[in-house]
Amino acid sequence: MPYRWPADTEFTRIELAVEEQWCRTCGGALTICDHRYHRVFTLNGPLHLVCKLVHCPTRACPAHPQTLSPEAETAITMPWWVLGWDVVWWLGQRRFARHWSVGPIRAALVDTYQIRLSADAIETYMHRYQQMLAARRQAPGQLAAAYADVEAVRLAIDGLQPEQGHETLYVVRELERKRVWFAEPLLSSATAEVQQLLVQARMWAEQLGKRVRLWMSEKQDAFVRGIAAAFPGVPHRYGAHHFRRDVAKPVLEAESRAKVKRRRTVRGVRALEREVVSARRSTDLPGPALAPMEERRDTLKHVEEPQDPAARVEEATQDVVLDYCAAVRGLLNDDQGGPLHPPGLRMAEALGEGQASLQRNLEAKKGGLRTTDSCGWPETSTGG
Ligand SMILES: [Zn+2]
């Protein structure tokens, strides 16, 4: 990518020479035949690299047409790059470890290092950074170390198509160490194409010296046949995701209908609450005309304790009724959950518990009021 350097850029000039002095083919002395100039940004300022190219001057030597470049150049940057390695690492660290976007990266390069780059250029170098990262993760030594204490691997293959008609990106992952082994965009999802990826996965496992314990994928023909052919005898489990997604829709629809039906059977909560509140109002105090239920209850709670024990029992009883009403209303409005934990089932279970709790209290009341006083009620009600 040609970069237009400002006329007043001050470069540090570095001359680089080929280390070898003698022709490997004929043993004659190598001579300088040309210069290549390469200007790059580094975090310590722009460099002007002068690469001295050499060749074997003996026309009869088979190596004569070859030109050698100084190896030292690639320790600073790659041929044709405008950024030194240090700037590329800086970019990658800011982008992937610090999650900076291109804008702030671009601004920081100018502010801190006086490096002016287009957004396109930054994206290109970030892409290169990712490629190098991927290459490093695939490096045999790194892999062997990561899998040193793994007895057998579990592999998965997925095809991701960003848009209809686009290439599908096939990703082969290993699930023991949760690593992406490799990814390949394929235009066709034909069995033969996918087969190459499976063969590649087999080579990886063989190089690691690991047994393949299991394959996981969607139940696509190419995967089913391909895995059976490349990994005979290895169990192949199909992903449950599609199945769940397909089954979730009718489940949720049926669920919603069931919920509506069940709500119809649980009625009269509001009427009960009204009854209790108006009973209290007639005995105790004038009270606000039509405030929300909770507000009215608060008002009622703050009234002086009635002295009469019978009145106290009555009030405790009313509190329990109001608590049950609030609980049931909460259950009817609960819509937490999803296809795997349908809200209607939760509601049914919770209503059952509420019913059982009411029943326990009714039974407690039968025996309770004969022998004890008002305290029996609130205690038993906490159990529900
Ligand atoms: Zn030679």
Side-chain angles (χ1 to χ4, degrees):
M1 112 183 20
Y3 184 81
R4 201 183 301 242
W5 295 86
D8 58 350
T9 310
E10 284 182 25
F11 292 96
T12 305
R13 189 183 161 97
I14 296 181
E15 294 195 356
L16 301 170
V18 174
E19 280 174 28
E20 282 179 78
Q21 293 178 358
W22 311 101
C23 175
R24 277 190 211 173
T25 309
C26 70
L30 295 171
T31 57
I32 293 172
C33 59
D34 204 352
H35 290 80
R36 188 155 45 77
Y37 304 104
H38 188 176
R39 301 195 284 189
V40 291
F41 282 115
T42 72
L43 296 181
N44 298 314
L47 294 183
H48 184 142
L49 306 177
V50 180
C51 299
K52 296 177 178 175
L53 309 182
V54 298
H55 75 158
C56 174
T58 311
R59 288 185 182 278
C61 174
H64 172 72
Q66 289 170 8
T67 309
L68 299 178
S69 293
E71 303 79 1
E73 183 190 13
T74 54
I76 298 169
T77 180
M78 291 298 278
W80 316 115
W81 283 16
V82 76
L83 299 181
W85 286 113
D86 56 349
V87 184
V88 178
W89 297 150
W90 183 94
L91 278 180
Q93 197 267 353
R94 292 303 186 279
R95 180 70 193 93
F96 299 109
R98 298 283 175 265
H99 306 289
W100 289 19
S101 58
V102 172
I105 288 176
R106 199 175 166 202
L109 279 175
V110 175
D111 295 346
T112 314
Y113 301 106
Q114 292 78 52
I115 297 174
R116 285 175 198 284
L117 291 176
S118 67
D120 282 1
I122 290 173
E123 277 168 17
T124 301
Y125 280 92
M126 284 189 320
H127 186 61
R128 289 174 181 166
Y129 179 91
Q130 282 179 294
Q131 284 177 317
M132 281 179 283
L133 203 65
R136 177 150 176 82
R137 298 221 359 128
Q138 294 182 355
Q142 288 264 317
L143 268 180
Y147 284 92
D149 56 351
V150 170
E151 186 232 325
V153 295
R154 290 180 297 145
L155 295 172
I157 185 166
D158 296 289
L160 314 157
Q161 195 172 33
E163 266 181 81
Q164 203 71 39
H166 280 220
E167 291 176 321
T168 302
L169 181 69
Y170 285 89
V171 182
V172 172
R173 290 175 301 137
E174 197 288 313
L175 305 172
E176 286 292 328
R177 282 287 169 267
K178 297 187 174 60
R179 285 174 83 102
V180 171
W181 272 12
F182 52 86
E184 205 82 55
L186 296 181
L187 262 177
S188 142
S189 55
T191 307
E193 305 257 346
V194 173
Q195 188 70 22
Q196 290 174 8
L197 301 181
L198 298 170
V199 168
Q200 198 177 334
R202 192 175 65 201
M203 278 164 49
W204 276 57
E206 282 168 4
Q207 275 165 13
L208 279 172
K210 303 294 174 186
R211 185 169 64 82
V212 179
R213 190 204 305 274
L214 177 76
W215 264 98
M216 281 182 71
S217 79
E218 293 303 330
K219 198 177 175 182
Q220 277 173 28
D221 206 40
F223 294 155
V224 175
R225 287 160 184 262
I227 288 170
F231 295 85
V234 173
H236 182 181
R237 207 169 90 195
Y238 308 129
H241 172 69
H242 284 239
F243 170 75
R244 280 195 195 139
R245 194 183 57 189
D246 291 347
V247 102
K249 226 181 137 221
V251 163
L252 285 179
E253 279 167 7
E255 232 272 321
S256 165
R257 283 196 298 274
K259 249 168 73 174
V260 170
K261 256 170 120 176
R262 186 168 291 274
R263 275 208 193 99
R264 275 198 219 119
T265 66
V266 184
R267 318 196 69 160
V269 172
R270 192 51 101 183
L272 266 173
E273 282 175 325
R274 233 177 253 135
E275 202 179 300
V276 170
V277 170
S278 67
R280 281 191 178 186
R281 206 182 304 157
S282 61
T283 55
D284 290 333
L285 75 163
L290 266 170
M293 197 62 69
E294 286 72 19
E295 209 176 291
R296 267 179 276 163
R297 284 196 57 194
D298 277 354
T299 322
L300 291 167
K301 267 188 184 160
H302 292 115
V303 217
E304 276 178 43
E305 292 262 321
Q307 295 304 308
D308 177 13
R312 235 160 54 201
V313 173
E314 179 61 19
E315 191 182 295
T317 310
Q318 289 169 341
D319 275 345
V320 171
V321 171
L322 289 179
D323 282 346
Y324 269 107
C325 288
V328 169
R329 194 143 28 88
L331 297 182
L332 293 181
N333 292 327
D334 179 19
D335 56 358
Q336 299 294 305
L340 293 178
H341 305 280
L345 280 186
R346 281 163 50 102
M347 186 202 284
E349 282 165 11
L351 285 173
E353 282 172 25
Q355 210 165 16
S357 163
L358 273 172
Q359 194 56 43
R360 278 199 300 276
N361 275 335
L362 283 175
E363 281 160 14
K365 188 184 171 188
K366 273 182 202 162
L369 276 191
R370 255 187 299 159
T371 52
T372 62
D373 60 16
S374 59
C375 299
W377 251 102
E379 266 175 25
T380 19
S381 74
T382 53

